[in-house]
């Protein structure tokens, strides 16, 4: 490991570097690597279930639960450990995430003392495998419209959980098809003939012997595109009775006469507060997507550094793939964005840790955390899907062989764009958050309510700075004007361009949506017609947040050599993003055609400048070599052996 690699890793590893090192040293790749040969579905599920048990025995899962609930209270460390698992078999990461993160998270965050005492010890030690049963066949993104009901029966002091229609069947539920014994079931809570909206109820689904309990029908989703070791299943409830006290009652409770009470009066606010406490799953998926992307880039960059193809005319030696500009263009801007996203992820994990560990609830910080998690999750998982595909192509035929991991990384991460919130829907949430300036007077969060509110309030919408407010403003103030002579690598100019795009998109979006307040117009149509604009606004926001995270990480780096390289990588992230969006910048007169060409030239120059550093840049990810055991990395040895 070079000094540069060590210093870069220090910046990338961030606040929970010690946890990363612990996992690097502790997790034996023999036991946690993806299977080296094709397994039947049952063999693979069995293998992953055993690996999850090994994780339980390692004691790591306790990190994710507050000390008061029997854990270690290191939430950031827990999410970071899960992120590191993303370098190994993603089926293990997902199954562990479903049990401890989603099921355990629901009990910890939506339940109260009685649930914590009864269930958390056996959730933490893995002896009560659980499911998080939210999605139904009929409704995935629109959780408020779930059809399962939990109806209070005062005669027996029980809740009756029932699947009202075939569309209300719980679907895709991780851990349901084979191993789960209990499910955190999201259902419409009904009492005294009145519905109180979606709440979560604990429902045992299997007995100790693994058989479905009376009234519970368990189905199997069968083979999937990836994540073959995860047993996704379907749950149907036929008037299944559980004690009233199985209602996770932190945000809404029933007494024995069926009277409903809640500390949050507004039902929509209550619903979103409940969902908001579950943000950790989204943060974890973003982290795992980052880990998988880094694995793919490490493979592709290393391969490109020793794989040769075509000799130049008269040249004795064939050219290394990484010396081709086209190849640099494929991998290095993606590498720069991967750095940027890891630094933004580190900030997000830190924010999550501080908000969720605080004694008092800070609603503004909680809203900010939810919006940030939604945006980073959407952008990181889309980036993973695109980059892993690029890496597969960059390795040619070798990239297609299962032994080289890229096909499996591609298949396993594909669904990250869908679960824990579909990316399109999440980006809409981000834009809504921006329009309302995180105000909780938001009222009804349904589309029409949002549109009306957004139209009234947009004048107050501001660009909130995320990190190092003073630093960013100083850099922007120092930028010597549009298309300045200082060139496209002026950081202040880049920051201003990102900020200007976000601000313009947000203001013009709000102006468009203002029409919805007109009694003559159909608010839904106004909003629907602007959906592309909504998504662009959210993306521009995330791009800016990510750039600011990168800029502040460069500023904090104390190693001069690493700082200089990070500065170039940050330039490459900023300029390749501007290049991607240059149509918008040109259309809106933000850059001249001449500056646009300079940006393209600067991206090429940066690719050339970073090419000699490419191996160190991926080595800095700190993925232990034994975790990357592929034929692809052994190419020079093979070529040599073959003469
Ligand atoms: C492998 C796997 C594991 C899963 N594990 C779990 C689990 O353990 N527990 C659980 O509860 N769920 C789980 N899910 C379900 C997952 O969370 C949902 O699939 C996801 O929320 C999307 O819901 P949906 O499939 O109904 O898609 P839909 O919501 O129907 O979306 C389909 C398409 O419509 C688009 N769309 C939807 N609404 C809008 C809109 N308003 N505007 C524009 N476009 C829109 C989306 O962008 C998407 O492209 C899992 C799913 C999979 C595939």
């Amino acid at each position: 490991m070079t000094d540069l690699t060590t210093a870069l890793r220090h910046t990338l590893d961030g606040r929970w570097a010690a946890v990363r090192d612990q996992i690097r040293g502790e997790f034996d790749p023999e036991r946690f690597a993806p299977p080296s040969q094709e397994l039947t579905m049952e063999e693979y599920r069995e293998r992953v279930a055993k690996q999850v048990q090994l994780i339980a025995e390692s004691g790591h899962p306790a990190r994710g639960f507050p000390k008061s609930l029997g854990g270690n209270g290191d939430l950031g460390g827990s999410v970071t450990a899960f992120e590191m698992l993303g370098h190994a078999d993603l089926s293990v990461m997902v199954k562990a995430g479903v049990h401890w993160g989603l099921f355990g998270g629901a009990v910890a965050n939506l339940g109260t003392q009685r649930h914590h005492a009864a269930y958390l010890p056996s959730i933490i030690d893995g002896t009560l495998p659980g499911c998080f049963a939210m999605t139904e066949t009929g409704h995935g993104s629109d959780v408020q419209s779930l059809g399962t009901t939990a109806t209070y029966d005062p005669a027996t002091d029980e809740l009756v959980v029932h699947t009202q229609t075939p569309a209300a069947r719980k679907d895709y539920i991780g851990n349901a098809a084979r191993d789960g014994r209990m499910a955190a079931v999201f259902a419409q809570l009904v009492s005294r003939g009145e519905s109180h909206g979606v709440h979560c109820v604990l429902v045992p689904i299997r007995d100790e012997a693994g058989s479905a309990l009376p009234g519970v029908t368990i189905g199997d989703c069968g083979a999937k595109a990836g994540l073959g070791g995860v047993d996704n299943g379907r749950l149907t409830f036929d008037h299944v009775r559980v004690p009233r006290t199985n209602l996770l009652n932190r945000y809404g409770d029933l007494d024995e006469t069926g009277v409903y009470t809640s500390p949050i009066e507004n039902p929509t606010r209550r619903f979103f507060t409940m969902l908001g406490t579950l943000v950790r799953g989204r943060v974890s998926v973003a982290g795992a997507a980052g880990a998988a992307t880094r694995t793919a880039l490490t493979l592709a960059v290393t391969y490109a550094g020793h794989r040769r193809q075509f000799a130049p005319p008269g040249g004795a030696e064939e050219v290394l793939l990484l010396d081709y500009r086209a190849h640099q263009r494929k991998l290095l801007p993606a590498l720069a964005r991967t750095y940027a996203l890891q630094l933004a992820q580190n900030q997000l994990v830190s924010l999550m840790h501080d908000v969720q560990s605080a004694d008092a609830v800070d609603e503004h910080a909680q809203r900010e955390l939810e919006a940030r998690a939604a945006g980073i999750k959407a952008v990181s998982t889309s980036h993973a899907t695109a980059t892993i595909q690029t890496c597969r192509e960059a390795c040619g035929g070798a990239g297609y062989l299962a032994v080289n991991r890229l096909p499996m990384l591609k298949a396993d991460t594909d669904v990250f764009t869908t679960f824990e919130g579909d990316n399109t829907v999440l980006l809409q949430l981000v834009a809504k958050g921006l329009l309302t300036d995180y105000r909780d007077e938001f009222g009804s969060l349904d589309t029409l309510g949002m549109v009306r509110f957004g139209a009234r309030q947009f004048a107050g919408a501001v660009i909130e700075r995320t990190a190092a407010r003073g630093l960013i403003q100083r850099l922007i103030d120092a930028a010597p004007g549009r298309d300045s002579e200082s060139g496209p690598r002026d950081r202040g100019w880049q920051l201003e361009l990102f900020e200007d795009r976000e601000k313009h998109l947000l203001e013009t979006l709000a102006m468009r949506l203002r029409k919805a307040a007109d009694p003559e117009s159909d608010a839904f149509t106004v909003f629907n017609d602007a959906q592309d604009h909504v998504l662009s606004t959210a993306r521009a926001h995330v791009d800016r947040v990510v750039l600011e995270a990168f800029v502040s990480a460069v500023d904090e780096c104390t190693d001069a050599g690493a700082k200089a390289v990070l500065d170039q990588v940050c330039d490459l992230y900023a300029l390749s993003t501007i290049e991607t969006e240059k149509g918008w910048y040109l259309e809106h007169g933000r850059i001249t055609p001449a500056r646009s060409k300079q940006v393209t030239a600067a991206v090429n120059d940066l690719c050339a400048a970073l090419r000699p550093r490419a191996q160190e840049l991926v080595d800095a990810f700190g993925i232990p070599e034994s975790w990357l055991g592929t034929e692809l990395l052994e190419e020079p040895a093979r070529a040599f052996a073959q003469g």
Side-chain angles (χ1 to χ4, degrees), residues 5 24 42 98 111 166 177 209 234 260 276 328 390 398 419 549 579 597 622 635:
T5 309
R24 282 179 185 125
E42 178 48 30
V98 164
R234 295 166 172 154
Y260 179 82
Q328 294 167 4
T390 300
F419 66 25
E579 190 183 39
K597 287 181 191 161
E635 181 82 6

Side-chain angles (χ1 to χ4, degrees), residues 48 56 126 137 159 194 208 259 361 447 514 557 587:
V48 168
T137 308
L159 286 165
E194 194 188 334
E208 293 278 325
V259 171
V361 179
T447 307
R514 191 181 253 167
C557 178
E587 269 177 12

Side-chain angles (χ1 to χ4, degrees), residues 200-314:
C200 188
V201 182
L202 293 177
V203 184
I205 57 170
R206 278 194 180 84
D207 61 20
E208 293 278 325
S211 304
L213 287 169
V216 181
T217 305
I218 303 179
D220 194 322
C221 293
K224 305 184 294 289
L227 298 176
V230 185
D231 52 322
N232 293 92
R234 295 166 172 154
L235 299 171
T236 310
F237 303 101
D238 182 8
H239 298 95
V240 174
R241 288 178 169 266
V242 296
R244 171 180 54 90
T245 49
N246 277 29
L247 172 69
L248 296 179
N249 60 337
R250 179 168 167 198
Y251 293 106
D253 203 3
L254 290 175
D255 69 15
E256 57 283 355
T257 63
V259 171
Y260 179 82
T261 49
S262 167
I264 305 175
E265 219 157 284
N266 180 318
T268 308
R269 228 185 109 216
R270 182 189 315 136
F271 173 71
F272 280 94
T273 302
M274 283 165 68
L275 289 196
T277 62
L278 306 174
V279 71
R280 211 184 311 169
R282 220 161 256 174
V283 177
S284 298
V285 168
T293 311
R294 297 194 290 278
T295 301
L297 277 167
T298 303
L299 294 173
V301 168
T302 307
Y303 185 69
H306 64 240
R307 169 82 175 169
R308 295 177 183 277
Q309 205 65 208
F310 294 104

Side-chain angles (χ1 to χ4, degrees), residues 152-177:
Y152 183 57
D153 178 358
T156 57
D157 199 22
E158 288 172 322
L159 286 165
V160 184
V161 179
H162 187 59
T163 304
Q164 294 285 344
T165 63
R169 174 184 67 175
K170 295 294 175 186
D171 214 341
Y172 317 107
I173 308 304
N175 232 0

Side-chain angles (χ1 to χ4, degrees), residues 401-480:
L401 300 189
V403 69
N404 289 326
R405 290 201 58 193
L406 288 161
M408 201 161 164
L409 280 175
K410 196 156 96 89
D412 287 347
T413 53
D414 184 317
V415 75
F416 286 16
T417 59
T418 298
F419 66 25
E420 279 302 316
D422 169 83
N423 283 357
T424 302
V425 175
L426 289 183
L427 287 174
Q428 292 187 58
L429 279 181
V430 172
K432 287 176 184 181
L434 290 172
L435 281 164
T436 55
D437 193 14
Y438 305 120
R439 275 165 218 239
D440 53 355
E441 297 90 6
F442 213 58
S444 169
L445 266 170
D446 65 276
T447 307
L448 304 190
M450 191 295 293
V451 170
R452 295 216 174 89
F453 183 87
R456 271 205 315 272
Q457 292 292 329
F458 99 92
V462 293
I463 302 269
E464 290 213 11
R465 289 206 193 294
T466 50
R469 282 156 206 254
L471 166 72
I472 306 293
Q473 196 55 52
R474 271 199 315 281
L475 287 166
I476 290 179
D477 291 345

Side-chain angles (χ1 to χ4, degrees), residues 328-548:
Q328 294 167 4
R329 277 286 198 156
K330 262 182 212 164
L331 297 178
L332 299 185
L335 180 58
R337 196 171 179 79
T338 304
Y339 262 64
L341 286 168
Q342 182 166 1
L343 297 167
Q345 173 76 11
N346 289 351
Q347 265 192 3
L348 172 65
V349 172
S350 219
L351 177 67
M352 185 211 76
H353 179 89
D354 295 340
V355 170
Q356 296 201 334
S357 313
D359 292 334
V361 179
D362 177 344
E363 281 226 20
H364 181 275
Q366 176 66 31
R367 294 285 96 76
E368 193 182 335
L369 169 64
E370 286 159 27
R372 188 95 71 88
I376 299 283
K377 185 271 179 186
V379 169
S380 289
T381 56
S382 295
H383 175 66
T385 297
T387 303
I388 294 168
Q389 173 65 24
T390 300
C391 290
R392 205 296 293 150
E393 291 174 27
C395 294
Y400 199 63
L401 300 189
V403 69
N404 289 326
R405 290 201 58 193
L406 288 161
M408 201 161 164
L409 280 175
K410 196 156 96 89
D412 287 347
T413 53
D414 184 317
V415 75
F416 286 16
T417 59
T418 298
F419 66 25
E420 279 302 316
D422 169 83
N423 283 357
T424 302
V425 175
L426 289 183
L427 287 174
Q428 292 187 58
L429 279 181
V430 172
K432 287 176 184 181
L434 290 172
L435 281 164
T436 55
D437 193 14
Y438 305 120
R439 275 165 218 239
D440 53 355
E441 297 90 6
F442 213 58
S444 169
L445 266 170
D446 65 276
T447 307
L448 304 190
M450 191 295 293
V451 170
R452 295 216 174 89
F453 183 87
R456 271 205 315 272
Q457 292 292 329
F458 99 92
V462 293
I463 302 269
E464 290 213 11
R465 289 206 193 294
T466 50
R469 282 156 206 254
L471 166 72
I472 306 293
Q473 196 55 52
R474 271 199 315 281
L475 287 166
I476 290 179
D477 291 345
R482 197 165 286 175
D483 286 12
S484 67
E485 281 177 14
S486 61
R489 290 190 58 191
D490 184 289
R491 187 56 46 72
W493 177 79
Q494 296 162 1
L495 283 162
E496 195 174 21
L497 222 56
F498 274 57
E499 180 172 309
D500 187 29
R501 176 162 166 260
E502 177 189 357
K503 202 158 174 245
H504 181 87
L505 281 164
L506 184 57
E507 283 175 2
T508 49
L509 174 64
M511 238 138 57
R512 280 178 79 170
L513 298 185
R514 191 181 253 167
K515 280 194 230 127
D518 180 347
E520 302 290 293
S521 72
D522 170 17
F524 175 78
T525 305
V526 172
F527 183 72
N528 197 30
D529 287 350
Q531 261 195 346
D532 56 329
H533 195 156
V534 167
L535 298 178
S536 299
T537 306
R539 282 197 202 95
H541 169 74
V542 181
D543 284 347
R544 197 256 310 164
V545 166
V546 171
L547 178 60
E548 290 189 4

